[in-house]
């Protein structure tokens, strides 16, 4: 089924036009994507490798879990839906910040969330080929050695800067 997204402008304001995500990507139209950095109680970050059958970035690792914000959804609703779909986790992620992300397949507004997720998740094998938890130093090393999606590098870098500014 085609994902329907809302076009937004360069200030992240909804334009009132609903298009397929595929069309938004192909045309380079701004739309919204929601992602979540998933931590456990000890602060380790969930990292996963995308399934090989996915159309976007198959087999690459990710620091975040997420996807397109469907028409009529908020960033938070989309982030919660994606966590349930991909990890079988029902939590309310907290929106930390948004930014205009020009890395990846096409430009989009990225809403970066954070959530504490349980140690045991029920990852969807159609979405997630492997998952594990890394400390921040381990993740910094992995980002240099493993193949990650472009969004992962940008989102994690901004996430660390956001957390540093808050402490």
């Amino acid at each position: 089924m085609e994902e329907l997204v809302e076009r937004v402008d360069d200030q992240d304001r909804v334009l009132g036009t609903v298009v397929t995500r595929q069309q938004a990507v192909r045309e380079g139209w701004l739309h919204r994507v929601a992602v979540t950095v998933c931590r456990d109680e000890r602060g380790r970050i969930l990292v996963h490798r995308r399934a090989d059958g996915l159309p976007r970035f198959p087999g690459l690792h990710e620091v975040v879990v997420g996807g397109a914000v469907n028409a009529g959804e908020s960033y938070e609703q989309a982030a919660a839906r994606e966590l349930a779909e991909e990890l079988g986790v029902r939590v309310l992620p907290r929106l930390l910040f948004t930014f205009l992300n020009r890395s990846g397949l096409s430009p989009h507004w990225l809403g970066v969330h954070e959530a504490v997720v349980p140690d045991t998740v029920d990852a969807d094998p159609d979405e997630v080929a492997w998952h594990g938890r890394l400390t921040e130093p381990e993740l910094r090393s992995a980002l240099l050695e493993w193949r990650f999606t472009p969004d992962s590098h940008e989102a994690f870098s901004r996430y660390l800067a956001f957390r540093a500014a808050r402490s």
Side-chain angles (χ1 to χ4, degrees), residues 9-10 17 67 91:
D9 67 12
D10 61 356
T17 306
V91 297

Side-chain angles (χ1 to χ4, degrees), residues 58-78:
L60 269 58
H61 289 86
E62 284 197 291
V63 176
V64 292
V65 173
V69 176
N70 290 335
E73 274 187 320
S74 68
Y75 281 111
E76 294 90 343
Q77 290 168 328

Side-chain angles (χ1 to χ4, degrees), residues 5-6 8 19 36 38 40 51 56 67 70 77-78 103 117 140 165:
V5 299
E6 293 173 304
V8 294
V19 298
T36 303
C38 298
D40 65 12
R56 295 177 191 94
N70 290 335
Q77 290 168 328
S103 65
V117 299
R140 289 176 200 263

Side-chain angles (χ1 to χ4, degrees), residues 4-139:
L4 296 178
V5 299
E6 293 173 304
R7 288 185 61 191
V8 294
D9 67 12
D10 61 356
Q11 299 298 310
D12 197 18
R13 294 178 296 227
V14 175
L15 298 174
T17 306
V18 175
V19 298
T20 67
R21 183 175 188 195
Q22 183 179 11
Q23 185 178 19
V25 169
R26 183 178 61 244
E27 301 295 334
W29 293 333
L30 293 177
H31 57 288
R32 292 175 172 167
V33 173
V35 298
T36 303
V37 175
C38 298
R39 293 181 155 290
D40 65 12
E41 294 291 339
R42 294 182 297 277
R44 296 176 306 166
I45 297 169
L46 187 136
V47 176
H48 71 279
R49 189 173 64 77
R50 296 172 59 82
D52 292 330
L54 291 173
R56 295 177 191 94
F57 306 114
L60 269 58
H61 289 86
E62 284 197 291
V63 176
V64 292
V65 173
V69 176
N70 290 335
E73 274 187 320
S74 68
Y75 281 111
E76 294 90 343
Q77 290 168 328
R81 175 180 48 76
E82 290 287 343
L83 286 172
E85 289 174 4
E86 295 185 23
L87 299 180
V89 173
R90 301 215 184 279
V91 297
L92 292 175
R94 182 172 60 101
L95 179 64
L96 303 178
F97 57 90
T98 62
F99 69 95
L100 182 52
N101 186 10
R102 297 197 181 275
S103 65
L105 295 176
S106 71
H108 55 274
W109 277 91
L110 194 63
V112 178
H113 301 74
E114 182 178 55
V116 175
V117 299
D119 285 341
T120 304
V121 298
D122 185 21
D124 178 352
D126 291 334
E127 299 269 350
V128 178
W130 167 88
H131 69 279
R133 296 179 188 267
L134 301 176
T135 63
E136 282 187 23
E138 290 169 336
L139 181 50

